Amino acid sequence: MPLHRLLSLLCPGLRIPRLSVLCAQPRPRAMATSSSSCKLPLVAVCQVTSTPDKQQNFKTCAELVREAARLGACLAFLPEAFDFIARDPAETLRLSEPLGGKLLEEYTQLARECGLWLSLGGFHERGQDWEQTQKIYNCHVLLNSKGAVVATYRKTHLCDVEIPGQGPMCESNSTIPGPSLESPVSTPAGKIGLAVCYDMRFPELSLALAQAGAEILTYPSAFGSVTGPAHWEVLLRARAIETQCYVVAAAQCGRHHEKRASYGHSMVVDPWGTVVARCSEGPGLCLARIDLNYLRQLRQHLPVFQHRRPDLYGNLGHPLS
């Protein structure tokens, strides 16, 4: 019987975040590193089931972030819509806040309290143009361990799709696409390139981030129940292999309300394309160590970026200025 289940039966009043065991990391023998694994930076990937209840969502996320800090993580990743998942566009707009609002202040205090960086994967942001547009941005916010906002990326590819069996999604009903990419940001785990969910379907974005120096790509997400089993892991592993980056994907899971459910399966993929950590079912977290020496060795042994032929097919994913 799994330890989590056994403890739940023995102590029914005890709330225990679900924690996935760190997966082994198979590597080509020639690229094994001598680094002591305990010295490598540890990251935590949080999986939650957001609802329209913002305070309950914060309570759940804060519990996972505190657990990540207790386990020694230097950076915790939260999924897209960590703040809330509304029932309709009108509720989405009503619940949204500016970056200087109450909710983000709570997260800045949490980052300071725990002393770790936070990737807030998709904040429903009322931007400076809110009064004119009455629409929001899907904003990926990166906080440092002092609670300061060090980067913001506004999702550039909006999910306007109709998938049979999954229901229509029209993100542009309430959301404006972001105008630009964000240059990779140096963190205690490595240089992080910011993206959000549907962005993973556009390899040009990941290639641009990699050429700009990214070592970790992050795709906080809320994948559906049809596209999830078919595309989720395949796309994440493809982005890792083609860019030779770590890929970190924190995901929404389970039923948010009567109108929507998400696939889950949060994971970390290494630059070889191996899934090195994965969340189990339900809210919880998984942990992975980021080995940048391994990444550099892989890029040296398999120098694909040196072999690109923009003279034949153009520069797919122009380097960021």
Side-chain angles (χ1 to χ4, degrees):
M1 178 180 294
L3 177 60
H4 183 277
R5 176 66 177 154
L6 179 60
L7 289 174
S8 297
L9 291 174
L10 293 175
C11 309
L14 180 63
R15 176 163 169 74
I16 308 163
R18 295 180 66 85
L19 174 64
S20 294
V21 177
L22 184 67
C23 299
Q25 189 159 335
R27 296 174 176 175
R29 183 168 300 182
M31 288 186 280
T33 67
S34 59
S35 302
S36 172
S37 63
C38 65
K39 296 180 182 178
L40 299 174
L42 185 70
V43 300
V45 186
C46 302
Q47 182 166 282
V48 301
T49 307
S50 291
T51 71
D53 187 337
K54 291 163 68 173
Q55 278 308 302
Q56 182 57 47
N57 295 336
F58 174 74
K59 182 179 177 182
T60 300
C61 290
E63 180 180 331
L64 291 173
V65 169
R66 292 185 179 107
E67 178 68 3
R70 188 187 69 78
L71 293 168
C74 65
L75 198 156
F77 295 83
L78 293 174
E80 182 182 31
F82 67 94
D83 50 353
F84 64 86
I85 291 183
R87 297 176 183 87
D88 53 53
E91 187 175 44
T92 295
L93 295 174
R94 180 174 61 80
L95 293 174
S96 64
E97 296 185 17
L99 288 179
K102 177 176 180 285
L103 185 62
L104 202 65
E105 176 57 29
E106 290 183 301
Y107 278 96
T108 62
Q109 292 176 11
L110 180 65
R112 287 196 296 267
E113 170 199 326
C114 295
L116 82 172
W117 288 56
L118 292 179
S119 162
L120 305 178
F123 176 74
H124 296 86
E125 179 206 2
R126 291 188 184 185
Q128 294 182 351
D129 53 2
W130 164 254
E131 295 296 333
Q132 292 76 38
T133 66
Q134 294 294 295
K135 287 190 174 184
I136 60 173
Y137 294 96
N138 189 338
C139 185
H140 188 160
V141 182
L142 188 64
L143 303 179
N144 66 18
S145 57
K146 296 181 180 179
V149 175
V150 294
T152 55
Y153 162 74
R154 293 165 179 88
K155 186 178 180 183
T156 51
H157 302 98
L158 300 185
C159 189
D160 289 0
V161 301
E162 291 191 30
I163 307 295
Q166 189 171 286
M169 167 78 71
C170 191
E171 192 172 10
S172 64
N173 280 344
S174 60
T175 305
I176 302 170
S180 62
L181 304 184
E182 178 73 18
S183 295
V185 180
S186 294
T187 77
K191 293 190 74 173
I192 290 184
L194 303 180
V196 180
C197 196
Y198 191 58
D199 286 333
M200 76 175 70
R201 293 186 181 275
F202 302 90
E204 299 88 345
L205 184 151
S206 60
L207 290 169
L209 291 173
Q211 290 179 81
E215 298 162 323
I216 302 166
L217 301 177
T218 180
Y219 294 101
S221 298
F223 254 51
S225 57
V226 174
T227 54
H231 298 159
W232 172 250
E233 182 175 326
V234 175
L235 285 168
L236 294 173
R237 295 180 69 189
R239 296 296 83 84
I241 292 166
E242 72 195 3
T243 62
Q244 298 178 319
C245 288
Y246 280 89
V247 167
V248 178
Q252 293 281 344
C253 68
R255 182 153 293 281
H256 310 288
H257 45 69
E258 65 277 6
K259 294 182 178 180
R260 188 169 173 187
S262 293
Y263 178 63
H265 295 75
S266 302
M267 64 179 64
V268 180
V269 185
D270 77 6
W272 185 251
T274 302
V275 178
V276 295
R278 189 195 308 262
C279 281
S280 56
E281 295 297 321
L285 57 82
C286 63
L287 301 167
R289 293 198 181 274
I290 304 299
D291 188 343
L292 296 182
N293 285 332
Y294 169 58
L295 178 148
R296 295 180 189 114
Q297 282 190 351
L298 175 58
R299 291 180 176 182
Q300 181 180 359
H301 287 288
L302 192 62
V304 293
F305 279 92
Q306 296 177 31
H307 298 157
R308 302 191 73 82
R309 290 291 305 274
D311 58 310
L312 299 180
Y313 42 71
N315 204 342
L316 304 179
H318 294 280
L320 302 181
S321 57

